[in-house]
Amino acid sequence: MEITFSYLGLVRNHEPDCIFGISSNLTVVAERLLNVKFLIPKNMERNAELSSSEDEFDFTMLKEEITGLHRELQGTENNSSSEDSDEVRGVIRRKIRVIDSECDSDTYTTEDSQSDSSEWITCTESEETPARIPFIAGDTTAGPHAPSDKEEPLDFLKLFVTNELVNEIVIETNNYAAKKLDGKTLSPYSIWRNWRNVTIEEMWAFIGVIINMGTMPLANLQEYWSRSDVSYIPFYSNKFTRDRFNQIFWMLHLKTIQRQDAGPRTRLQLVSCFLDYINSKFLNYFTPGREICVDESTIKFKGRVSFITYNPKKPTKWGIRVYTMADSTTGYICGILPYYGSLTTDSLIRHDLPVSTRIPLHLYSMLLEKLPGAQGHHMFTDRYYTSYILAEELLKLKCHLTGTILTNRKHLPEQIKRIKFGKKSIVAYRKKNTLILAWKDKRVVTCLTNWNNAGMTRVKRILRGGVEVTVKKPNVIIDYTKHMGGVDRADQYASTYCFLRKSLKWWRKLFFWGLEICLINSYILYKTTKEQRSERPLNHLQYLKTLVKQLTGDFHQPRDRASTSTAESDNIRLNGKLHSILTGVRKDCKVCSRRSKPGKRHQTTYYCDTCPDKPGMHLGSCYLKYHTMQNYKE
């Protein structure tokens, strides 16, 4: 985009006698500056993350123009003050810093990058592959390490969602409910009047019902207990009453915060304790292979929380971000890092580096802590993380890097920003073991790697209409396309049968997301273990349905009205004693109301508090019929 400043726009400012710090007798300078056009790069985007850009304005034309004018001033205008000259020189040396969502380091001028550009040399397809670090998975071999006695889906889920974890959730839920209901004045028909503590068996059944809801999404929670012909599903009403399920769902709690005025770091413990626990279990039963990838997952949320993120380019624009490292082959999640704003960035390693570089380093350091002796991994990242600095730092940890990259990153050759392909489809430069390659296909794709060379391979491509053609594709692009989708594969599992409901509490979103990650990892572990044993595994849906059966078992929620039989209810109703009549919400009269007949529905606010089912009835004849007649219906 080009912006041209008009003559009137420059002259009509608040100080007519001063233009760019030059006195009014130098108006010729301003007239010559009017024709200068400022070139603004097209890749500038609005900031959506904690980062600053390396995009640069091209001030070459402006610099040459002002330098020439400055020389004329020295020869023709000896009366100009030294202060004016300093101001002109200040314009020449000024550095521009803009904000961008793709990178985190400060910008620098073209002159600053000349020293880096001189170290990059042009590469050809026939050059040798750089030295590669041999891969060592650690103390164990790469792949699943589930105990040999684990056979059923429930056994694999309990490796992550353990009995100890569920027991802790039950204790916290009961304590939270007791605290909330203590001293509360409840309405006559409140569901909290019959609250009782949750048991461990009940919590496991509750988790099973939650998982089953993900396989059959309905409009809202109440629909699962609907008696309508189009919505009735007996499974849910057989396991829980609607009120009891809502009680557990609303009182669900993970951690008690003692002080109401606790700081942000303390309030994060509402869910961080749960996420840290399951994160510590992931690498205990699965060792990733050589190829790993780092990407982010966004949990949809639009509530009020300070660390909510917004990215207009993503399908889920508003949400809570979680940085994730996964095995590229299976999609198994190896490590998670929830983003809590500055509290997260302050806890990352290497404060001297940009945030986008520190995130992959932090996740890989977590992997090395769990797998001592591991080396030779090949990490894949997208353009938000990839940089020359990250490649060098990972190489110090004996890890290779491949990823797409923005051309305005630091320490890249100047030629890569103004590429001239000519007859070739690739342009590549190398600095020691690091290669940067630009490939022109439908658009220009730029990658950085310290694993591959600039070689190309012929691959088949299907065009529109089913036409098959053969094209040459760089090996770097082929590897990136093949191994970058690990996190996306896990997200695909999660979105297929996912239970996530609207909620005002941000930590509930993270809890159910963490539960989904445990389900995904347990299924991948189950599947790879079965294949390792040469057994046929269940597919994803069959796995979840079997898991629901094993979690719920023969559990049936006891009903409050079941304890009172019809004979006992009639004995109380017809005992001839005085019954208490109270007023409450409006309901149908037990005696005279007939919903099935048009115009025969009669409602009242009075009900009998002595009778077990609290029936509504009008005072007078309806009251007498109900408490004196065996067949009281009209």
Side-chain angles (χ1 to χ4, degrees):
M1 174 174 76
E2 297 184 352
I3 302 175
T4 305
F5 291 88
S6 65
Y7 179 83
L8 294 177
L10 283 175
V11 175
R12 293 180 183 176
N13 54 26
H14 295 292
E15 297 180 10
D17 295 332
C18 181
I19 303 175
F20 285 114
I22 305 174
S23 56
S24 59
N25 58 347
L26 302 179
T27 53
V28 64
V29 177
E31 292 175 356
R32 293 184 59 179
L33 285 175
L34 298 179
N35 297 322
V36 178
K37 296 181 179 180
F38 295 87
L39 303 181
I40 300 177
K42 297 181 180 180
N43 59 351
M44 290 180 58
E45 300 172 357
R46 192 173 181 177
N47 180 25
E49 182 52 273
L50 300 166
S51 56
S52 58
S53 170
E54 296 184 12
D55 288 336
E56 300 172 358
F57 290 101
D58 187 356
F59 274 83
T60 305
M61 296 177 59
L62 177 61
K63 178 179 178 180
E64 293 175 356
E65 190 73 21
I66 296 180
T67 303
L69 295 175
H70 180 57
R71 290 172 181 171
E72 293 182 12
L73 286 176
Q74 290 179 340
T76 58
E77 297 292 339
N78 296 326
N79 296 330
S80 299
S81 63
S82 60
E83 180 181 359
D84 296 333
S85 299
D86 290 337
E87 290 176 348
V88 174
R89 286 195 295 271
V91 174
I92 298 174
R93 293 195 304 265
R94 185 178 179 185
K95 294 184 179 181
I96 305 299
R97 183 178 185 274
V98 293
I99 304 298
D100 189 87
S101 62
E102 302 291 354
C103 44
D104 294 78
S105 53
D106 293 335
T107 61
Y108 60 102
T109 61
T110 306
E111 294 178 356
D112 296 333
S113 65
Q114 295 301 323
S115 59
D116 293 330
S117 299
S118 61
E119 300 177 10
W120 292 86
I121 59 175
T122 307
C123 295
T124 61
E125 296 183 28
S126 59
E127 69 168 3
E128 295 182 359
T129 302
R132 294 175 177 176
I133 302 170
F135 172 66
I136 301 176
D139 297 337
T140 59
T141 58
H145 303 291
S148 58
D149 60 336
K150 305 302 180 183
E151 295 287 344
E152 297 298 323
L154 182 59
D155 298 332
F156 287 89
L157 178 62
K158 286 191 174 183
L159 294 176
F160 309 104
V161 186
T162 61
N163 290 321
E164 293 79 9
L165 178 61
V166 172
N167 184 52
E168 185 66 24
I169 294 175
V170 168
I171 294 173
E172 291 293 341
T173 300
N174 291 333
N175 292 340
Y176 179 73
K179 181 180 177 181
K180 294 291 290 185
L181 298 178
D182 184 29
K184 290 284 186 180
T185 302
L186 302 176
S187 64
Y189 292 99
S190 173
I191 67 172
W192 303 111
R193 281 185 172 272
N194 59 350
W195 164 262
R196 59 182 179 276
N197 285 341
V198 184
T199 63
I200 295 179
E201 181 189 11
E202 200 173 21
M203 182 58 72
W204 279 117
F206 174 80
I207 294 174
V209 171
I210 288 290
I211 295 172
N212 201 41
M213 286 179 173
T215 64
M216 47 180 69
L218 295 180
N220 52 61
L221 286 178
Q222 312 309 319
E223 283 293 311
Y224 291 99
W225 282 267
S226 173
R227 292 286 179 173
S228 172
D229 294 338
V230 296
S231 301
Y232 179 59
I233 305 174
F235 168 81
Y236 299 99
S237 56
N238 290 340
K239 298 301 178 183
F240 284 95
T241 63
R242 185 185 62 185
D243 288 349
R244 182 55 177 171
F245 181 87
N246 287 337
Q247 284 180 343
I248 301 175
F249 186 78
W250 291 334
M251 286 297 179
L252 183 67
H253 211 66
L254 305 177
K255 184 72 173 180
T256 300
I257 305 300
Q258 300 297 334
R259 297 180 302 165
Q260 295 293 333
D261 58 344
R265 189 176 298 277
T266 304
R267 290 196 293 270
L268 292 179
Q269 296 177 5
L270 287 170
V271 72
S272 62
C273 57
F274 169 75
L275 295 179
D276 292 342
Y277 182 85
I278 62 174
N279 189 34
S280 65
K281 298 289 184 180
F282 290 157
L283 289 174
N284 290 349
Y285 308 103
F286 188 93
T287 301
R290 183 177 61 188
E291 286 77 20
I292 57 177
C293 60
V294 172
D295 206 349
E296 69 272 355
S297 297
T298 303
I299 307 166
K300 187 175 182 180
F301 184 70
K302 296 185 72 173
R304 298 181 61 181
V305 62
S306 61
F307 46 83
I308 193 171
T309 59
Y310 173 73
N311 191 339
K313 296 182 179 181
K314 297 288 185 179
T316 305
K317 297 176 175 54
W318 293 93
I320 301 172
R321 181 171 295 180
V322 182
Y323 300 106
T324 310
M325 183 171 61
D327 177 66
S328 296
T329 305
T330 61
Y332 185 91
I333 302 298
C334 303
I336 58 176
L337 179 65
Y339 174 68
Y340 301 129
S342 60
L343 297 179
T344 298
T345 56
D346 292 344
S347 64
L348 297 175
I349 63 174
R350 298 297 303 274
H351 291 269
D352 57 318
L353 298 177
V355 174
S356 60
T357 303
R358 295 162 62 193
I359 291 169
L361 288 176
H362 189 90
L363 288 170
Y364 190 66
S365 298
M366 292 167 57
L367 183 143
L368 294 180
E369 289 178 4
K370 298 286 290 187
L371 303 174
Q375 68 172 34
H377 287 95
H378 188 188
M379 182 183 293
F380 293 84
T381 57
D382 62 17
R383 62 181 184 172
Y384 175 73
Y385 309 98
T386 311
S387 66
Y388 179 79
I389 300 174
L390 177 60
E392 291 294 306
E393 293 297 331
L394 284 175
L395 205 58
K396 294 176 183 178
L397 299 176
K398 298 183 179 181
C399 176
H400 294 283
L401 174 70
T402 295
T404 55
I405 189 171
L406 293 170
T407 57
N408 63 351
R409 293 286 192 181
K410 282 186 176 181
H411 309 297
L412 298 187
E414 186 66 25
Q415 299 89 332
I416 208 71
K417 303 177 183 179
R418 300 179 179 87
I419 305 174
K420 296 181 180 179
F421 288 96
K423 296 181 179 180
K424 297 182 178 180
S425 62
I426 66 166
V427 174
Y429 299 93
R430 179 174 294 283
K431 181 178 180 181
K432 298 179 182 179
N433 289 334
T434 304
L435 173 79
I436 185 167
L437 178 143
W439 176 52
K440 185 178 181 182
D441 190 40
K442 295 180 180 179
R443 60 184 180 89
V444 178
V445 180
T446 309
C447 286
L448 182 138
T449 182
N450 52 20
W451 171 265
N452 238 320
N453 58 12
M456 301 183 73
T457 303
R458 292 188 176 276
V459 296
K460 294 182 179 180
R461 176 182 293 174
I462 306 298
L463 301 180
R464 183 177 297 178
V467 180
E468 183 178 296
V469 297
T470 302
V471 297
K472 293 182 69 176
K473 197 172 184 179
N475 296 329
V476 179
I477 304 294
I478 295 174
D479 288 346
Y480 178 83
T481 305
K482 181 179 180 181
H483 298 295
M484 184 55 199
V487 177
D488 295 335
R489 188 176 292 108
D491 288 342
Q492 183 180 7
Y493 275 126
S495 61
T496 305
Y497 306 112
C498 178
F499 175 85
L500 274 181
R501 296 285 173 177
K502 291 182 179 180
S503 176
L504 295 177
K505 296 182 179 180
W506 60 270
W507 63 265
R508 296 174 69 90
K509 286 280 191 175
L510 283 173
F511 168 73
F512 288 117
W513 178 85
L515 186 61
E516 281 290 339
I517 295 301
C518 291
L519 288 171
I520 294 166
N521 276 359
S522 67
Y523 174 66
I524 295 174
L525 185 62
Y526 161 82
K527 184 178 179 181
T528 53
T529 301
K530 288 292 184 181
E531 292 172 350
Q532 194 179 61
R533 299 172 183 173
S534 300
E535 299 176 9
R536 185 177 180 179
L538 300 172
N539 63 35
H540 191 199
L541 181 60
Q542 292 172 342
Y543 176 85
L544 293 178
K545 290 296 185 180
T546 304
L547 190 59
V548 169
K549 292 180 181 178
Q550 294 173 350
L551 284 170
T552 56
D554 298 329
F555 177 83
H556 292 281
Q557 180 66 52
R559 299 175 181 270
D560 295 335
R561 288 179 291 181
S563 59
T564 304
S565 64
T566 304
E568 293 175 347
S569 178
D570 288 344
N571 290 336
I572 297 174
R573 179 172 64 88
L574 301 173
N575 58 11
K577 297 181 180 180
L578 181 64
H579 286 230
S580 300
I581 297 296
L582 301 178
T583 182
V585 297
R586 183 175 293 276
K587 59 170 61 177
D588 290 358
C589 179
K590 193 75 172 178
V591 178
C592 65
S593 181
R594 298 289 185 275
R595 285 199 175 202
S596 59
K597 296 182 179 181
K600 293 295 184 178
R601 180 183 179 183
H602 306 296
Q603 292 186 314
T604 178
T605 58
Y606 296 100
Y607 69 96
C608 179
D609 190 54
T610 306
C611 295
D613 53 351
K614 311 295 190 228
M617 64 191 69
H618 293 102
L619 299 179
S621 61
C622 290
Y623 173 84
L624 292 175
K625 288 180 181 180
Y626 185 77
H627 290 98
T628 58
M629 299 174 60
Q630 184 68 35
N631 298 319
Y632 54 85
K633 288 286 188 181
E634 294 181 355

